[in-house]
Amino acid sequence: AQRVTQPEKLLSVFKGAPVELKCNYSYSGSPELFWYVQYSRQRLQLLLRHISRESIKGFTADLNKGETSFHLKKPFAQEEDSAMYYCALGTNFGNEKLTFGTGTRLTIIP
Amino acid sequence: DAGVIQSPRHEVTEMGQEVTLRCKPISGHNSLFWYRQTMMRGLELLIYFNNNVPIDDSGMPEDRFSAKMPNASFSTLKIQPSEPRDSAVYFCASSPGGGRAGYTFGSGTRLTVV
């Protein structure tokens, strides 16, 4: 069965400091990994997906199959990065479901 | 495209009343998902449809919850009778299909049962 673990429920970082949101997954097949962001009282928005290897709003995430991780990183935090971040795991055949982690609430301290 | 559209945005109802939440997926997306978000449990998948057919309803909490998708452009989630513990934000999401695609979420319905 698939599982996504986000070990930190809360994370506070000073403005300008580096950010790393941890995500580990468990899946025996070839995974598809995503990061979603939810700003206060808004919808969840797709931030990035590993397959496209893009950088959105300065965030990047690299899939490490050896460590089964997909950590989200940003070198210099900005106040507008304060939000809830969810890591999600998809499979590539048949099953449409994404398995979401429990989320990490990131607070940027001015 | 206007994205995934949910209505109402807010719903306050009394315990025991029936509640119906509505969702219009993105045109051409063939998968639709209903999620519930609470502080205690985070994001929980309730049910998902593929080509209007319910595929997995194992997350539906109990018989008081039911979901339908009569056509490709409309889905409902009904709670009857509602209870205070059903208070949550209910999100609908749609996907063009396949685990690679990711989801597009609606703005959610904030349900308060008093």
Side-chain angles (χ1 to χ4, degrees):
Chain A
Q2 299 99 279
R3 179 179 290 181
V4 176
T5 303
Q6 293 181 251
E8 303 140 327
K9 293 197 76 170
L10 303 170
L11 181 64
S12 294
V13 174
F14 284 100
K15 178 182 173 181
V19 177
E20 183 178 50
L21 301 169
K22 291 185 167 54
C23 172
N24 288 89
Y25 67 91
S26 174
Y27 176 55
S28 56
S30 183
E32 302 293 341
L33 276 302
F34 306 84
W35 276 99
Y36 283 82
V37 60
Q38 185 181 28
Y39 300 104
S40 180
R41 292 186 168 241
Q42 294 186 25
R43 74 181 72 197
L44 279 82
Q45 304 171 44
L46 180 63
L47 182 60
L48 54 80
R49 68 188 81 183
H50 94 271
I51 196 169
S52 54
R53 300 187 65 81
E54 57 201 342
S55 173
I56 303 294
K57 299 184 179 182
F59 284 97
T60 58
D62 290 318
L63 176 60
N64 185 323
K65 291 188 177 182
E67 296 183 357
T68 60
S69 69
F70 189 58
H71 302 328
L72 184 67
K73 299 178 183 179
K74 184 170 182 177
F76 306 104
Q78 298 172 290
E79 288 186 60
E80 55 265 35
D81 296 329
S82 293
M84 192 76 172
Y85 290 81
Y86 290 94
C87 182
L89 166 68
T91 61
N92 51 352
F93 294 111
N95 190 345
E96 309 285 342
K97 285 198 304 188
L98 289 182
T99 301
F100 283 84
T102 50
T104 298
R105 183 170 297 282
L106 176 65
T107 301
I108 306 302
I109 304 167
Chain B
D1 199 322
V4 176
I5 300 172
Q6 290 188 248
S7 64
R9 289 295 303 272
H10 303 274
E11 176 80 36
V12 180
T13 190
E14 290 185 346
M15 182 173 66
Q17 296 297 306
E18 177 180 295
V19 176
T20 299
L21 311 181
R22 297 173 177 79
C23 176
K24 182 182 188 312
I26 291 174
S27 177
H29 282 194
N30 59 6
S31 295
L32 183 140
F33 308 82
W34 282 101
Y35 279 86
R36 177 171 68 178
Q37 185 181 43
T38 61
M39 290 287 289
M40 293 296 294
R41 293 192 177 131
L43 208 55
E44 302 174 275
L45 176 65
L46 300 177
I47 185 171
Y48 87 90
F49 296 84
N50 185 253
N51 293 322
N52 313 336
V53 176
I55 302 300
D56 184 349
D57 65 355
S58 59
M60 296 285 263
E62 47 198 276
D63 291 346
R64 298 184 298 107
F65 285 69
S66 62
K68 294 182 179 179
M69 191 164 187
N71 57 62
S73 59
F74 184 65
S75 176
T76 59
L77 178 68
K78 187 177 293 187
I79 308 172
Q80 164 64 13
S82 58
E83 296 181 3
R85 60 193 167 118
D86 302 330
S87 297
V89 181
Y90 291 81
F91 285 104
C92 176
S94 70
S95 167
R100 295 175 182 271
Y103 299 171
T104 301
F105 281 83
S107 298
T109 295
R110 184 173 294 276
L111 173 66
T112 304
V113 183
V114 298

